[in-house]
mmCIF file of all heavy atoms in Angstrom:
data_model
loop_
_atom_site.group_PDB
_atom_site.id
_atom_site.type_symbol
_atom_site.label_atom_id
_atom_site.label_comp_id
_atom_site.label_asym_id
_atom_site.label_seq_id
_atom_site.Cartn_x
_atom_site.Cartn_y
_atom_site.Cartn_z
ATOM 1 N N LEU A 119 -112.254 -26.334 39.907
ATOM 2 C CA LEU A 119 -113.010 -25.179 39.445
ATOM 3 C C LEU A 119 -114.054 -24.855 40.501
ATOM 4 O O LEU A 119 -114.885 -25.709 40.834
ATOM 5 C CB LEU A 119 -113.697 -25.474 38.108
ATOM 6 C CG LEU A 119 -114.652 -24.399 37.583
ATOM 7 C CD1 LEU A 119 -113.901 -23.110 37.264
ATOM 8 C CD2 LEU A 119 -115.395 -24.921 36.360
ATOM 9 N N GLN A 120 -114.001 -23.629 41.020
ATOM 10 C CA GLN A 120 -114.994 -23.206 41.995
ATOM 11 C C GLN A 120 -116.180 -22.624 41.242
ATOM 12 O O GLN A 120 -116.045 -21.661 40.486
ATOM 13 C CB GLN A 120 -114.420 -22.179 42.964
ATOM 14 C CG GLN A 120 -115.392 -21.806 44.060
ATOM 15 C CD GLN A 120 -114.789 -20.857 45.067
ATOM 16 O OE1 GLN A 120 -113.775 -20.206 44.822
ATOM 17 N NE2 GLN A 120 -115.417 -20.766 46.225
ATOM 18 N N SER A 121 -117.356 -23.239 41.440
ATOM 19 C CA SER A 121 -118.541 -22.789 40.716
ATOM 20 C C SER A 121 -119.810 -23.365 41.321
ATOM 21 O O SER A 121 -119.807 -24.473 41.847
ATOM 22 C CB SER A 121 -118.452 -23.233 39.250
ATOM 23 O OG SER A 121 -119.610 -22.898 38.543
ATOM 24 N N ARG A 122 -120.893 -22.615 41.190
ATOM 25 C CA ARG A 122 -122.230 -23.156 41.435
ATOM 26 C C ARG A 122 -122.585 -23.998 40.219
ATOM 27 O O ARG A 122 -122.188 -23.690 39.096
ATOM 28 C CB ARG A 122 -123.255 -22.029 41.552
ATOM 29 C CG ARG A 122 -123.156 -21.232 42.812
ATOM 30 C CD ARG A 122 -124.393 -20.334 42.969
ATOM 31 N NE ARG A 122 -124.488 -19.807 44.294
ATOM 32 C CZ ARG A 122 -124.853 -20.491 45.376
ATOM 33 N NH1 ARG A 122 -125.175 -21.749 45.268
ATOM 34 N NH2 ARG A 122 -124.896 -19.928 46.558
ATOM 35 N N LEU A 123 -123.353 -25.039 40.422
ATOM 36 C CA LEU A 123 -123.702 -25.909 39.299
ATOM 37 C C LEU A 123 -124.791 -25.304 38.416
ATOM 38 O O LEU A 123 -125.014 -25.764 37.302
ATOM 39 C CB LEU A 123 -124.123 -27.285 39.803
ATOM 40 C CG LEU A 123 -123.033 -28.056 40.547
ATOM 41 C CD1 LEU A 123 -123.484 -29.479 40.829
ATOM 42 C CD2 LEU A 123 -121.725 -28.061 39.779
ATOM 43 N N GLU A 124 -125.435 -24.264 38.879
ATOM 44 C CA GLU A 124 -126.459 -23.610 38.083
ATOM 45 C C GLU A 124 -125.875 -22.678 37.015
ATOM 46 O O GLU A 124 -126.590 -22.239 36.109
ATOM 47 C CB GLU A 124 -127.402 -22.778 38.986
ATOM 48 C CG GLU A 124 -128.211 -23.601 39.960
ATOM 49 C CD GLU A 124 -127.538 -23.777 41.326
ATOM 50 O OE1 GLU A 124 -126.314 -23.575 41.439
ATOM 51 O OE2 GLU A 124 -128.247 -24.122 42.273
ATOM 52 N N ASN A 125 -124.574 -22.376 37.091
ATOM 53 C CA ASN A 125 -123.933 -21.466 36.147
ATOM 54 C C ASN A 125 -122.438 -21.780 36.117
ATOM 55 O O ASN A 125 -121.652 -21.162 36.821
ATOM 56 C CB ASN A 125 -124.181 -20.014 36.560
ATOM 57 C CG ASN A 125 -123.687 -19.043 35.534
ATOM 58 O OD1 ASN A 125 -123.465 -19.386 34.375
ATOM 59 N ND2 ASN A 125 -123.469 -17.802 35.948
ATOM 60 N N ILE A 126 -122.055 -22.738 35.304
ATOM 61 C CA ILE A 126 -120.686 -23.256 35.289
ATOM 62 C C ILE A 126 -119.888 -22.598 34.166
ATOM 63 O O ILE A 126 -120.284 -22.672 33.002
ATOM 64 C CB ILE A 126 -120.690 -24.789 35.105
ATOM 65 C CG1 ILE A 126 -121.579 -25.449 36.170
ATOM 66 C CG2 ILE A 126 -119.275 -25.340 35.160
ATOM 67 C CD1 ILE A 126 -121.900 -26.900 35.893
ATOM 68 N N PRO A 127 -118.756 -21.971 34.488
ATOM 69 C CA PRO A 127 -117.961 -21.290 33.461
ATOM 70 C C PRO A 127 -117.090 -22.258 32.647
ATOM 71 O O PRO A 127 -115.864 -22.197 32.677
ATOM 72 C CB PRO A 127 -117.125 -20.298 34.269
ATOM 73 C CG PRO A 127 -116.935 -20.976 35.584
ATOM 74 C CD PRO A 127 -118.216 -21.742 35.830
ATOM 75 N N LEU A 128 -117.742 -23.149 31.923
ATOM 76 C CA LEU A 128 -117.062 -24.063 30.999
ATOM 77 C C LEU A 128 -117.732 -23.945 29.638
ATOM 78 O O LEU A 128 -118.934 -23.645 29.548
ATOM 79 C CB LEU A 128 -117.150 -25.509 31.495
ATOM 80 C CG LEU A 128 -116.349 -25.883 32.735
ATOM 81 C CD1 LEU A 128 -116.685 -27.295 33.205
ATOM 82 C CD2 LEU A 128 -114.848 -25.770 32.465
ATOM 83 N N ALA A 129 -116.987 -24.224 28.595
ATOM 84 C CA ALA A 129 -117.515 -24.155 27.235
ATOM 85 C C ALA A 129 -118.513 -25.283 26.967
ATOM 86 O O ALA A 129 -118.477 -26.330 27.626
ATOM 87 C CB ALA A 129 -116.359 -24.246 26.238
ATOM 88 N N ASP A 130 -119.350 -25.060 25.994
ATOM 89 C CA ASP A 130 -120.285 -26.103 25.556
ATOM 90 C C ASP A 130 -119.490 -27.351 25.177
ATOM 91 O O ASP A 130 -118.483 -27.262 24.469
ATOM 92 C CB ASP A 130 -121.078 -25.641 24.334
ATOM 93 C CG ASP A 130 -122.015 -24.481 24.628
ATOM 94 O OD1 ASP A 130 -122.057 -24.022 25.783
ATOM 95 O OD2 ASP A 130 -122.697 -24.040 23.684
ATOM 96 N N GLY A 131 -119.931 -28.510 25.643
ATOM 97 C CA GLY A 131 -119.283 -29.773 25.309
ATOM 98 C C GLY A 131 -117.882 -29.931 25.860
ATOM 99 O O GLY A 131 -117.106 -30.746 25.353
ATOM 100 N N ALA A 132 -117.535 -29.202 26.908
ATOM 101 C CA ALA A 132 -116.170 -29.226 27.449
ATOM 102 C C ALA A 132 -115.812 -30.534 28.147
ATOM 103 O O ALA A 132 -114.645 -30.881 28.272
ATOM 104 C CB ALA A 132 -115.965 -28.061 28.421
ATOM 105 N N ILE A 133 -116.811 -31.279 28.616
ATOM 106 C CA ILE A 133 -116.572 -32.493 29.400
ATOM 107 C C ILE A 133 -117.184 -33.692 28.685
ATOM 108 O O ILE A 133 -118.345 -33.662 28.280
ATOM 109 C CB ILE A 133 -117.194 -32.348 30.818
ATOM 110 C CG1 ILE A 133 -116.623 -31.133 31.550
ATOM 111 C CG2 ILE A 133 -117.040 -33.624 31.626
ATOM 112 C CD1 ILE A 133 -115.141 -31.208 31.859
ATOM 113 N N ASP A 134 -116.392 -34.758 28.547
ATOM 114 C CA ASP A 134 -116.918 -35.983 27.928
ATOM 115 C C ASP A 134 -117.793 -36.762 28.906
ATOM 116 O O ASP A 134 -118.905 -37.162 28.571
ATOM 117 C CB ASP A 134 -115.762 -36.877 27.444
ATOM 118 C CG ASP A 134 -115.038 -36.269 26.267
ATOM 119 O OD1 ASP A 134 -115.660 -36.129 25.209
ATOM 120 O OD2 ASP A 134 -113.853 -35.910 26.429
ATOM 121 N N TRP A 135 -117.259 -37.012 30.104
ATOM 122 C CA TRP A 135 -117.933 -37.870 31.085
ATOM 123 C C TRP A 135 -118.024 -37.131 32.412
ATOM 124 O O TRP A 135 -117.069 -36.474 32.813
ATOM 125 C CB TRP A 135 -117.148 -39.162 31.303
ATOM 126 C CG TRP A 135 -116.978 -39.977 30.068
ATOM 127 C CD1 TRP A 135 -115.872 -40.032 29.274
ATOM 128 C CD2 TRP A 135 -117.937 -40.858 29.489
ATOM 129 N NE1 TRP A 135 -116.091 -40.905 28.234
ATOM 130 C CE2 TRP A 135 -117.354 -41.426 28.345
ATOM 131 C CE3 TRP A 135 -119.243 -41.234 29.830
ATOM 132 C CZ2 TRP A 135 -118.019 -42.340 27.534
ATOM 133 C CZ3 TRP A 135 -119.903 -42.144 29.019
ATOM 134 C CH2 TRP A 135 -119.290 -42.690 27.889
ATOM 135 N N ALA A 136 -119.150 -37.291 33.095
ATOM 136 C CA ALA A 136 -119.309 -36.586 34.373
ATOM 137 C C ALA A 136 -119.910 -37.492 35.432
ATOM 138 O O ALA A 136 -120.734 -38.366 35.144
ATOM 139 C CB ALA A 136 -120.188 -35.356 34.184
ATOM 140 N N PHE A 137 -119.498 -37.233 36.649
ATOM 141 C CA PHE A 137 -119.945 -37.945 37.839
ATOM 142 C C PHE A 137 -120.538 -36.902 38.775
ATOM 143 O O PHE A 137 -119.986 -35.813 38.923
ATOM 144 C CB PHE A 137 -118.737 -38.634 38.482
ATOM 145 C CG PHE A 137 -119.014 -39.343 39.771
ATOM 146 C CD1 PHE A 137 -119.772 -40.498 39.806
ATOM 147 C CD2 PHE A 137 -118.473 -38.867 40.962
ATOM 148 C CE1 PHE A 137 -120.009 -41.158 41.002
ATOM 149 C CE2 PHE A 137 -118.703 -39.525 42.158
ATOM 150 C CZ PHE A 137 -119.471 -40.674 42.181
ATOM 151 N N CYS A 138 -121.668 -37.228 39.395
ATOM 152 C CA CYS A 138 -122.351 -36.275 40.273
ATOM 153 C C CYS A 138 -123.037 -37.080 41.378
ATOM 154 O O CYS A 138 -124.112 -37.635 41.181
ATOM 155 C CB CYS A 138 -123.361 -35.489 39.438
ATOM 156 S SG CYS A 138 -124.106 -34.100 40.262
ATOM 157 N N SER A 139 -122.381 -37.177 42.519
ATOM 158 C CA SER A 139 -122.867 -38.036 43.598
ATOM 159 C C SER A 139 -123.375 -37.226 44.784
ATOM 160 O O SER A 139 -122.643 -36.412 45.341
ATOM 161 C CB SER A 139 -121.729 -38.959 44.070
ATOM 162 O OG SER A 139 -122.138 -39.740 45.168
ATOM 163 N N HIS A 140 -124.626 -37.481 45.153
ATOM 164 C CA HIS A 140 -125.229 -36.832 46.318
ATOM 165 C C HIS A 140 -125.094 -35.313 46.237
ATOM 166 O O HIS A 140 -124.699 -34.655 47.196
ATOM 167 C CB HIS A 140 -124.624 -37.358 47.624
ATOM 168 C CG HIS A 140 -125.033 -38.760 47.925
ATOM 169 N ND1 HIS A 140 -124.411 -39.839 47.363
ATOM 170 C CD2 HIS A 140 -126.016 -39.252 48.713
ATOM 171 C CE1 HIS A 140 -124.978 -40.952 47.808
ATOM 172 N NE2 HIS A 140 -125.968 -40.614 48.621
ATOM 173 N N VAL A 141 -125.448 -34.760 45.081
ATOM 174 C CA VAL A 141 -125.321 -33.330 44.855
ATOM 175 C C VAL A 141 -126.644 -32.698 44.436
ATOM 176 O O VAL A 141 -126.988 -31.612 44.895
ATOM 177 C CB VAL A 141 -124.240 -33.042 43.778
ATOM 178 C CG1 VAL A 141 -124.186 -31.580 43.417
ATOM 179 C CG2 VAL A 141 -122.885 -33.540 44.252
ATOM 180 N N LEU A 142 -127.393 -33.368 43.582
ATOM 181 C CA LEU A 142 -128.601 -32.759 43.014
ATOM 182 C C LEU A 142 -129.646 -32.424 44.078
ATOM 183 O O LEU A 142 -130.459 -31.522 43.875
ATOM 184 C CB LEU A 142 -129.196 -33.657 41.934
ATOM 185 C CG LEU A 142 -128.278 -33.898 40.726
ATOM 186 C CD1 LEU A 142 -128.932 -34.844 39.740
ATOM 187 C CD2 LEU A 142 -127.893 -32.591 40.070
ATOM 188 N N GLU A 143 -129.615 -33.099 45.206
ATOM 189 C CA GLU A 143 -130.553 -32.778 46.287
ATOM 190 C C GLU A 143 -130.147 -31.503 47.027
ATOM 191 O O GLU A 143 -130.908 -30.986 47.834
ATOM 192 C CB GLU A 143 -130.684 -33.955 47.266
ATOM 193 C CG GLU A 143 -129.435 -34.295 48.036
ATOM 194 C CD GLU A 143 -128.476 -35.237 47.317
ATOM 195 O OE1 GLU A 143 -128.600 -35.436 46.081
ATOM 196 O OE2 GLU A 143 -127.576 -35.772 47.990
#
Side-chain angles (χ1 to χ4, degrees):
L119 173 65
Q120 185 176 18
S121 176
R122 288 192 166 286
L123 297 188
E124 295 92 341
N125 187 19
I126 306 167
L128 290 172
D130 294 0
I133 302 295
D134 291 295
W135 300 100
F137 176 70
C138 190
S139 176
H140 289 82
V141 174
L142 298 178
E143 65 274 16

